Amino acid sequence: SRSAKREGSCRALLPGRPGSDRRTEITRAPQQPPHIVPARRRRQKPLRAHHHHDHHGKAEDEHTGAGEVTEHFRQGHDEERAEQDADLAAAGEDDHGKDHHRFPKGKRTRGNDGHLGGKEVPGHARPERADDEGHELQVRHVHAAALGGGVVGDMTGFAAATYLRGIDFIQIPTTLLAQVDSSIGGKTGVDFDSYKNMVGAFHMPRLVYMNLDTLQTLDARQYYSGFAEIMKHGLIKDAKYYEWLISNMYEICERDPETLLSMIKRSCEIKKEVVENDPTEQGERALLNFGHTIGHAIEKNSGFQMLHGECVALGCVAAAYISWKKELIEMDEYYEIRDMFVPFNLPISADDLDVAKIVALTKSDKKMRGGKIRFVLLDRIGHARIDDTVTDEEMTAAIEELNFKDED
């Protein structure tokens, strides 16, 4: 359990690092709750005896009755709402082209008993929180299971992170991309307002179970889509693994079980090492975004008609091109990286790319910081770096390199 109260002390079991069975036990004495001072106090009418005069002019004191109490609070609410309206008017309803939304104060706005903001949520099943004797039930022992590809895993993980402020879930990935990438590391979320994975949470699965036989059921396009993330792992972290992938390309394309086992195991190890060093992407974990800045923009521009792995492959080629033009890698290294996607049936060019729109879409990348994109580049095969100096002109040139022309 998350905590267990014992005679004036607080005891908790904390999980160890991801992938470890070690647990840490801590014990601390209870503390008094801090004194909280509200940032702003609103004027409220006190609930007290009202002083008034009767028809004879005699002063009398009497306590407010139930009806008057209701009226008293109604008047107070009207005053507070008028004050809020004044605040909104002062701020301007059309500031920055956005409307201001007002909701009633208090926790009831969040929703309860299957209601959200006063509206019933269809299909809501309220968990029983207490038995007949009033003992709280362990509702957080509910588990969720994500059986499917990356989208299923992301949505299930996000639901698990949010429901009851977090329940356990397990990943059962059935695609190559999900097995080597999205099921590992605890990133969950959904797209929102042109931003990729903008609404989400870091929520580690309790277990990731992979049955490699599911890979034999994938069509060729889905299967090879996952290879873009595998190639990425070699390019950013392990040059020997990158060379092994090239040496074993025929076995990989034939979906040889022993080769697939070795490949998936090494990719999972690389991502595990990175995630353990930086679980919430404050530094090193950002290297896993190699190929994703331009790749996500191409994916969005295609109306999601292209698969994620196909767009990541194009993004990796673009990032390698920029690395070459910045003299971080040699020209021969760039062309080798580009051409190595071809045997695995991944694109290195695309028709009719809207270059200006794709560059604009990179600005909605959630990895931007201080108005600059945190781009991931290579300074050699097997080693990557974060660079925030990539210009729009450099991105434009890289995307133009991807744009298929008849003379190509």
Side-chain angles (χ1 to χ4, degrees), residues 168-295:
D168 290 336
F169 82 111
I170 63 174
Q171 290 269 22
I172 312 173
T174 58
T175 65
L176 183 58
L177 191 148
Q179 289 180 358
V180 300
D181 185 63
S182 61
S183 67
I184 303 169
K187 276 189 176 181
T188 71
V190 295
D191 300 344
F192 177 74
D193 195 22
S194 298
Y195 289 80
K196 185 79 173 177
N197 297 323
M198 180 52 61
V199 180
F202 288 97
H203 192 55
M204 294 290 181
R206 296 288 291 178
L207 170 74
V208 178
Y209 171 76
M210 302 175 188
N211 186 328
L212 303 193
D213 288 344
T214 62
L215 301 180
Q216 306 298 332
T217 70
L218 301 177
D219 63 44
R221 189 181 177 199
Q222 280 286 352
Y223 173 71
Y224 288 115
S225 174
F227 191 80
E229 299 286 357
I230 293 171
M231 183 71 84
K232 176 195 75 176
H233 291 151
L235 288 171
I236 67 171
K237 276 293 179 180
D238 191 340
K240 290 183 178 180
Y241 179 48
Y242 168 79
E243 294 168 0
W244 181 90
L245 293 171
I246 296 172
S247 299
N248 289 272
M249 68 172 66
Y250 294 110
E251 290 82 358
I252 293 170
C253 292
E254 291 293 327
R255 309 191 199 189
D256 174 66
E258 292 300 321
T259 304
L260 292 182
L261 178 60
S262 298
M263 179 182 72
I264 293 171
K265 180 176 182 291
R266 182 58 190 140
S267 271
C268 289
E269 287 173 345
I270 290 172
K271 184 158 188 182
K272 171 181 174 290
E273 292 165 5
V274 173
V275 170
E276 285 185 346
N277 291 335
D278 181 21
T280 57
E281 199 170 313
Q282 302 303 307
E284 182 184 357
R285 185 168 181 170
L287 297 178
L288 295 170
N289 294 319
F290 178 71
H292 283 61
T293 298
I294 289 178

Side-chain angles (χ1 to χ4, degrees), residues 1-171:
S1 62
R2 296 194 176 189
S3 62
K5 297 181 180 178
R6 287 189 177 183
E7 299 178 359
S9 68
C10 180
R11 178 175 174 273
L13 286 176
L14 301 181
R17 295 171 68 182
S20 170
D21 291 328
R22 295 185 58 190
R23 291 173 177 260
T24 303
E25 181 173 333
I26 61 171
T27 304
R28 63 176 174 81
Q31 298 180 350
Q32 294 296 325
H35 178 63
I36 300 175
V37 179
R40 178 183 180 188
R41 295 182 181 274
R42 294 195 179 275
R43 291 179 288 107
Q44 295 181 347
K45 292 184 178 181
L47 180 59
R48 62 169 183 254
H50 284 247
H51 185 75
H52 63 87
H53 291 79
D54 65 4
H55 61 281
H56 296 295
K58 179 180 178 181
E60 293 181 350
D61 287 326
E62 69 178 23
H63 289 284
T64 306
E68 293 178 346
V69 170
T70 302
E71 176 65 17
H72 161 77
F73 280 111
R74 187 190 66 77
Q75 292 175 355
H77 174 72
D78 289 345
E79 288 183 4
E80 183 170 347
R81 181 164 182 173
E83 187 175 350
Q84 291 173 346
D85 289 339
D87 290 342
L88 290 176
E93 287 285 338
D94 296 321
D95 281 357
H96 310 294
K98 297 181 179 179
D99 292 334
H100 295 271
H101 301 277
R102 179 175 57 232
F103 52 87
K105 73 174 184 176
K107 290 192 175 182
R108 65 188 177 89
T109 301
R110 299 195 211 170
N112 54 67
D113 295 327
H115 291 72
L116 183 63
K119 296 182 179 180
E120 185 174 356
V121 180
H124 172 82
R126 181 185 180 190
E128 293 296 334
R129 293 182 177 273
D131 59 19
D132 293 338
E133 297 180 358
H135 299 299
E136 185 173 350
L137 301 178
Q138 299 298 317
V139 291
R140 285 193 176 90
H141 286 179
V142 176
H143 288 72
L147 173 63
V151 173
V152 173
D154 283 356
M155 294 182 68
T156 303
F158 179 49
T162 307
Y163 188 61
L164 299 176
R165 291 182 177 170
I167 62 173
D168 290 336
F169 82 111
I170 63 174
Q171 290 269 22

